């Protein structure tokens, strides 16, 4: 895979315009078919030095992925939050107007940090946000970070989130499943036990108006 570093090396070796066009095509082919630029790959790999050397050359250091699927529009901040790279998250947030941007389907870096159990990133992001448990879009059944943490069995994330959010600590997503439903469905006894000790109804029914 072509990285930010060897892109400039390859371009410097191009002796003719034909070669230059081919080098640029090879670079963009990587972006188009993987959906990730070299800078995004550096973020996924946690390579902060490579990120810094390349990001200085770009106007937008939090650009989005290009593929046309459920991950479309995910930014570098999404990638850093998913992989648990707190230093990169801090740097990207410092230079971003939107501290918790949505992708094309409403998923945010906070959702991903909760989903993958990265408490340090959840703690860092929450003070910037007025809505500390935002809903994603229809593609993800309007899941919140609380739902994502329950699916992953990340009790430490759930405990922290419910201390910060106001209102329902066991919200339902668009298909009627609550955080407790999702934890039970995935077999996370620790999360189920936590909720059953806190809820007035430890065995709630689904909230959808259908056969279930």
């Amino acid at each position: 895979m072509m990285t930010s570093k060897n892109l400039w090396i390859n371009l410097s070796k191009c002796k003719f315009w034909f070669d230059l066009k081919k080098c640029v095509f090879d670079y963009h082919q990587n972006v188009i078919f993987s959906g990730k630029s070299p800078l995004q790959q550096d973020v996924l790999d946690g390579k902060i030095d490579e990120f810094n050397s390349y990001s200085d050359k770009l106007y937008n250091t939090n650009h989005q992925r290009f593929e046309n699927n459920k991950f479309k529009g995910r930014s570098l901040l999404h990638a850093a939050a998913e992989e648990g790279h707190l230093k990169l998250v801090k740097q990207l947030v410092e230079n971003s107007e939107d501290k918790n941007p949505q992708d094309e389907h409403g998923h945010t870096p906070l959702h991903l940090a909760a989903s993958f159990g990265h408490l340090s990133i959840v703690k860092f992001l929450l003070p910037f946000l007025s809505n500390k448990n935002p809903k994603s879009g229809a593609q993800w059944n309007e899941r919140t970070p609380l739902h994502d943490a329950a699916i992953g069995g990340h009790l430490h994330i759930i405990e922290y989130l419910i201390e910060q959010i106001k209102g329902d600590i066991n919200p339902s997503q668009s298909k009627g499943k609550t955080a407790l439903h999702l934890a039970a469905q995935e077999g996370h006894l620790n999360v189920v036990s936590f909720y059953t000790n806190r809820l007035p109804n430890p065995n709630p029914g689904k909230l959808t108006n259908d056969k279930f």
Side-chain angles (χ1 to χ4, degrees):
M1 175 173 37
M2 188 168 290
T3 66
S4 55
K5 186 178 295 182
N6 62 26
L7 166 65
W8 303 112
I9 295 173
N10 282 359
L11 287 177
S12 68
K13 291 180 180 179
C14 294
K15 297 180 180 179
F16 303 100
W17 279 109
F18 176 82
D19 295 323
L20 178 60
K21 290 177 181 178
K22 183 179 184 303
C23 287
V24 173
F25 173 78
D26 288 343
Y27 163 68
H28 282 289
Q29 188 177 48
N30 174 59
V31 174
I32 291 168
F33 286 104
S34 72
K36 299 185 290 289
S37 70
L39 184 59
Q40 287 169 319
Q41 192 61 53
D42 285 342
V43 169
L44 288 169
D45 295 338
K47 298 177 179 177
I48 193 165
D49 291 335
E50 285 86 344
F51 170 81
N52 287 333
S53 65
Y54 194 41
S55 63
D56 289 342
K57 301 176 177 66
L58 298 177
Y59 173 74
N60 178 13
T61 58
N62 194 31
H63 61 276
Q64 298 176 331
R65 290 174 66 168
F66 303 107
E67 73 268 56
N68 190 25
N69 58 20
K70 64 183 179 180
F71 305 117
K72 183 179 181 182
R74 290 199 176 173
S75 65
L76 298 178
L77 187 51
H78 284 86
E82 178 177 337
E83 295 296 325
H85 301 312
L86 180 59
K87 287 184 179 179
L88 281 172
V89 168
K90 288 181 176 180
Q91 187 166 332
L92 287 163
V93 165
E94 181 181 349
N95 296 301
S96 300
E97 184 175 348
D98 189 346
K99 309 302 184 184
N100 193 43
Q102 294 183 333
D103 64 16
E104 292 290 324
H105 300 291
H107 233 47
T108 70
L110 179 60
H111 283 90
L112 293 169
S115 181
F116 288 89
H118 302 309
L119 181 58
S120 60
I121 293 177
V122 172
K123 286 184 174 181
F124 175 74
L125 289 174
L126 279 187
F128 295 103
L129 310 178
S130 56
N131 182 0
K132 301 184 186 303
N133 196 38
K135 290 182 179 181
S136 61
Q139 173 72 37
W140 299 101
N141 301 320
E142 298 183 355
R143 287 194 332 225
T144 67
L146 201 53
H147 292 117
D148 286 329
I151 291 170
H154 303 304
L155 180 57
H156 61 304
I157 302 289
I158 292 170
E159 290 175 325
Y160 184 76
L161 282 173
I162 65 173
E163 291 177 358
Q164 309 300 316
I165 62 178
K166 296 179 181 179
D168 193 356
I169 66 169
N170 188 38
S172 61
Q173 36 93 301
S174 62
K175 290 191 174 181
K177 293 181 180 179
T178 66
L180 176 55
H181 281 102
L182 295 169
Q185 181 176 296
E186 297 298 324
H188 299 307
L189 180 59
N190 58 337
V191 178
V192 172
S193 297
F194 172 79
Y195 267 113
T196 54
N197 289 326
R198 292 185 68 102
L199 297 175
N201 178 9
N203 191 31
K206 285 179 65 177
L207 303 178
T208 48
N209 188 24
D210 57 21
K211 64 181 180 180
F212 303 115

